[in-house]
C-alpha cells in the first residue's frame, strides 16, 4: 500500500495520470472500508459506536496528499478516512474495529480512537475538538526540532463552537506553528444544520485570529490537494498556521443507526450527484486513464477489504490476562535516596533547580505556561530560564486546554513537556485534556502513544484566597486511571520528585503548596531522585499511625512532637505520591501501631482519606484497635474571611486533639 505521494512543487500544480490513479485508489479504499464497516456494524460484528465518512473521501486524501512520513495528523470521531489516507493499513484497522488483540491498538481504541504515532497519526478522538490542541503540541515539537514537518488537524464544522477550537487556533497563531486547520464542512453538527450553529463564516474567524484562510471544493480531491499542497509549502518555509475549509457532505447519518429525521432523502440524493469518486473519475478520463485501469483498482481494493474482514474475523479477542495492559508505562525502579545534608534552601529554589537540571540534561524537555517565560512565573519560580534556554521556555495565552493539549501532543511526538496551570482550581478548565486525553491515550492506543508529560500546579488555603483559589483537588485527579499525582511536603522531596516526574514515561500532575515556597530544608545533591509511588515514614512511632501529604505533613510532624511530650508515640507517614497509592507502607505502619489517623487539607467527604480508610478496613482490618479517623476540612467551599478560614482548615492542634483521642481508645 502506497503511503506517500510523489514529491513535486506546487507552484504549477499538476498531476500525472499515475498520481491521479493513486488518488483514486486511496479514495476507493476508504469508500469500500466504510461500506463494509457499515454492513459489519449492522450485523453486530463491530461493537460500540461507528461514525462513517462516506462522501468525504476527497478531503481526507487531498489533505494528506502532500504530507511526508514525518508530518502528522490529528483526527475526529469520524476518522477512518483520515488515518487510511495517512497510510494506516486496512487489515489492522478492521481488526481494531472488531475489538481484536491484533488490531491497530490491540482492541483498546475501536472506531473513534485509532492512532499510530509512528505513522504520524496522533489519534482519532471521541471528544469533539480535542484533536486541535493536540495538533498544536505535535506542531510545537516539529518547530522545536526544526525538521520542517507540518501537522494537519482535521475537524468538522461543529467543532468550531468548542472552546478548544479557539484556544488551539489562537495558540498556534501566537506561536506561528506549522498547522493546517482543515475543516471538513459537511454542513451538519450532529443533527443540527450549520446555519443554526454559527453566525460567522470560517473566513471571518481566520481573519480574527490573524491567520490565513483558503477554501477548497471538498468533493474534488485535486482541488483539495492543490490547496493544501500550497499551504504546506508555506508552512515548511516557516509561515504560521492556515485555516482551510473543505466543503463536503456526509452521506450517512451522524452515527450508524441515526434515524436522520433532521434531513430528507432528496437532500442526500442531490449531494450524491457530486460523489467524490465520480469527480475524480472525470479527472482520470480527462487525463486519458483507461477505464480498465480504474476497474482494476476497484477489483484490487475489493480483494484487499475482503481479506481484511476475513483476517479480522479469524483473529482472537484480547486475552483476559491482558485486561490491565497499557494503562501506564513501566516506570524505572529508583532507590530511596539518602537524607540530604547540604546547605539550607527553599522549596521555590527546589522547583527552579529541578527544572533547570532537566532542561540542561535533556533537549526534549521544554516548559510552557502562562507567564512562565518573560514573567518568570507568578511566584518567580522560573525567572531567568527563558533567557538560559531560548525557545524552550514558552509563554502561552491564558488557555488552559491549549496548554495541556499542547503537552499531550508534544509528548506523543516524543518530547517531554512540562506545562504549568497557575492554580489547581483551574484544572477544571482543562479537565478534558487530563481526563480523556493524557490519562487515556496510552491505553486507547494499545501502548502506541507515549505520554511523558508533567503538569505543574499549586494550591494552598490559609491566606484568604477564597473559594476559587484555595481548593485541594487531588482526589478528583487520583480518581482518573492513568494519571500519577504527586504532592511533596519539603524542599528536597520537591526537587527529587519533580526530576523523577519529568523523567517518567507517564503523565504526572505535580502539585506544589504555595504556602511552602519559602519553606526551608537541607539541599540534596544534584543527582537526587525520589521514587514515584513510594510513601516514606518521616517519623517513627509505635502508638498511632498518622498519614498525610503536602503541607499538612509539617503540621502532622508538629503535632507528633507535641504529643511526644505527653508520652504518645506517633508514626508519621508522608504519602508523597497520591496515585499510585503506596498501600504497602501504610499497611505496614498500621500493623505496627494498630491505629490510623489521616490528616489532609482537602475537604473530608469522598477524598483520599476515605480511600485510606477503606484500605485500612479492608486489608488492615485485623490490625485495627480503634476507629480509623480523618482530620480534614468540612465539605464546603473555602471561606474568604480569615477567622472562618482558620476554623475551616485543619491545624497542628486539631490533628493533635484527634490523635490524642484515638490513642486513648
Amino acid at each position: 500500500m502506497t503511503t506517500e505521494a510523489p514529491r513535486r512543487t506546487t507552484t504549477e500544480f499538476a498531476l500525472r495520470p499515475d498520481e491521479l490513479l493513486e488518488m483514486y485508489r486511496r479514495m476507493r479504499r476508504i469508500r469500500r472500508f466504510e461500506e463494509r464497516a457499515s454492513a459489519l456494524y449492522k450485523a453486530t460484528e463491530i461493537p460500540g459506536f461507528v461514525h462513517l465518512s462516506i462522501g468525504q473521501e476527497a478531503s481526507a486524501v487531498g489533505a494528506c496528499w502532500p504530507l511526508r512520513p514525518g508530518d502528522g495528523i490529528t483526527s475526529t470521531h469520524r476518522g477512518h478516512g483520515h488515518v487510511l489516507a495517512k497510510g494506516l493499513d486496512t487489515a489492522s484497522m478492521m481488526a481494531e474495529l472488531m475489538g481484536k488483540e491484533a488490531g491497530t491498538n490491540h482492541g483498546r481504541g475501536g472506531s473513534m480512537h485509532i492512532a499510530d504515532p509512528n505513522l504520524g497519526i496522533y489519534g482519532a478522538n471521541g471528544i469533539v475538538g480535542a484533536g486541535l490542541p493536540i495538533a498544536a503540541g505535535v506542531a510545537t515539537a516539529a518547530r522545536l526540532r526544526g525538521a520542517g514537518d507540518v501537522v494537519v488537524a482535521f475537524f468538522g464544522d461543529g467543532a468550531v463552537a468548542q472552546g478548544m477550537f479557539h484556544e488551539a487556533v489562537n495558540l498556534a497563531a501566537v506561536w506561528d506553528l506549522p498547522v493546517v486547520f482543515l475543516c471538513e464542512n459537511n454542513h451538519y453538527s450532529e443533527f443540527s444544520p450549520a446555519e443554526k450553529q454559527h453566525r460567522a463564516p470560517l473566513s471571518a474567524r481566520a481573519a480574527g485570529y490573524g491567520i490565513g484562510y483558503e477554501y477548497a471544493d471538498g468533493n474534488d480531491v485535486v482541488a483539495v490537494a492543490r490547496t493544501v499542497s500550497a499551504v504546506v509549502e508555506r508552512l515548511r518555509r516557516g509561515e504560521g498556521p492556515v485555516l482551510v475549509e473543505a466543503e463536503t457532505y456526509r452521506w450517512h447519518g451522524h452515527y450508524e443507526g441515526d434515524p436522520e429525521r433532521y434531513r430528507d432523502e432528496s437532500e442526500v440524493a442531490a449531494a450524491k450527484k457530486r460523489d467524490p469518486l465520480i469527480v475524480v473519475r472525470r479527472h482520470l478520463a480527462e487525463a486519458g486513464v483507461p477505464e480498465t485501469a480504474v476497474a482494476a483498482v476497484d477489483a484490487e481494493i475489493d480483494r484487499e477489504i475482503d481479506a481484511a474482514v476475513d483476517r479480522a474475523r479469524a483473529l482472537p479477542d484480547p486475552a483476559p490476562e491482558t485486561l490491565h495492559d497499557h494503562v501506564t508505562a513501566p516506570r524505572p525502579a529508583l532507590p530511596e535516596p539518602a537524607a540530604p545534608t547540604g546547605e539550607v534552601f527553599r522549596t521555590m529554589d527546589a522547583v527552579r533547580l529541578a527544572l533547570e537540571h532537566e532542561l540542561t540534561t535533556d533537549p526534549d524537555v521544554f516548559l510552557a505556561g502562562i507567564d512562565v517565560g518573560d514573567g518568570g512565573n507568578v511566584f518567580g519560580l522560573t525567572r531567568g530560564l527563558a533567557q538560559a534556554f531560548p525557545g524552550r521556555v514558552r509563554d502561552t495565552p491564558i488557555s488552559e486546554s491549549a496548554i495541556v493539549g499542547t503537552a499531550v501532543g508534544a509528548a506523543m511526538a516524543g518530547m517531554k513537556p512540562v506545562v504549568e496551570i497557575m492554580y489547581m482550581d483551574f484544572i477544571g478548565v482543562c479537565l478534558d485534556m487530563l481526563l480523556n486525553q493524557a490519562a487515556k491515550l496510552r491505553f486507547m492506543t494499545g501502548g502506541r502513544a507515549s505520554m511523558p508529560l508533567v503538569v505543574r500546579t499549586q494550591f494552598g488555603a490559609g491566606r484568604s484566597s477564597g473559594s476559587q483559589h484555595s481548593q485541594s483537588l487531588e482526589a478528583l485527579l487520583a480518581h482518573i486511571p492513568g494519571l500519577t499525582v504527586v504532592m511533596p511536603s519539603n524542599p528536597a522531596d520537591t526537587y527529587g520528585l519533580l526530576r523523577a516526574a519529568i523523567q517518567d514515561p507517564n503523565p504526572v500532575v505535580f502539585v506544589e503548596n504555595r504556602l511552602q515556597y519559602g519553606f526551608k530544608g537541607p539541599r540534596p545533591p544534584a543527582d537526587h531522585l525520589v521514587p514515584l509511588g513510594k510513601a516514606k515514614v518521616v517519623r517513627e512511632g509505635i502508638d498511632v499511625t498518622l498519614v498525610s501529604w503536602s503541607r499538612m505533613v509539617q503540621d502532622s510532624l508538629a503535632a507528633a512532637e507535641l504529643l511526644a511530650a505527653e508520652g504518645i508515640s506517633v508514626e508519621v507517614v508522608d504519602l508523597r505520591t497520591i496515585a499510585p497509592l503506596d498501600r504497602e507502607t501504610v499497611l505496614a505502619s498500621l500493623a505496627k501501631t494498630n491505629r490510623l489517623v489521616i490528616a489532609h487539607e482537602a475537604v473530608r467527604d469522598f477524598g483520599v482519606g476515605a480511600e485510606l480508610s477503606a484500605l485500612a478496613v479492608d486489608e488492615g482490618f485485623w490490625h485495627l484497635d480503634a476507629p480509623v479517623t480523618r482530620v480534614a476540612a468540612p465539605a464546603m467551599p473555602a471561606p474568604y474571611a480569615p477567622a472562618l478560614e482558620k476554623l475551616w482548615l485543619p491545624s497542628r492542634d486539631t490533628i493533635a486533639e484527634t490523635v490524642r483521642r484515638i490513642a486513648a481508645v
Side-chain angles (χ1 to χ4, degrees), residues 285-304:
E286 292 168 1
V289 177
E291 192 61 38
T292 54
V294 177
V297 169
D298 290 347
E300 169 198 334
I301 295 301
D302 286 347
R303 290 192 298 271
E304 178 186 324

Side-chain angles (χ1 to χ4, degrees), residues 322-336:
T322 69
L323 173 64
H324 299 282
D325 289 358
H326 314 301
V327 176
T328 56
R331 54 177 34 114
L334 295 175
E336 182 66 36

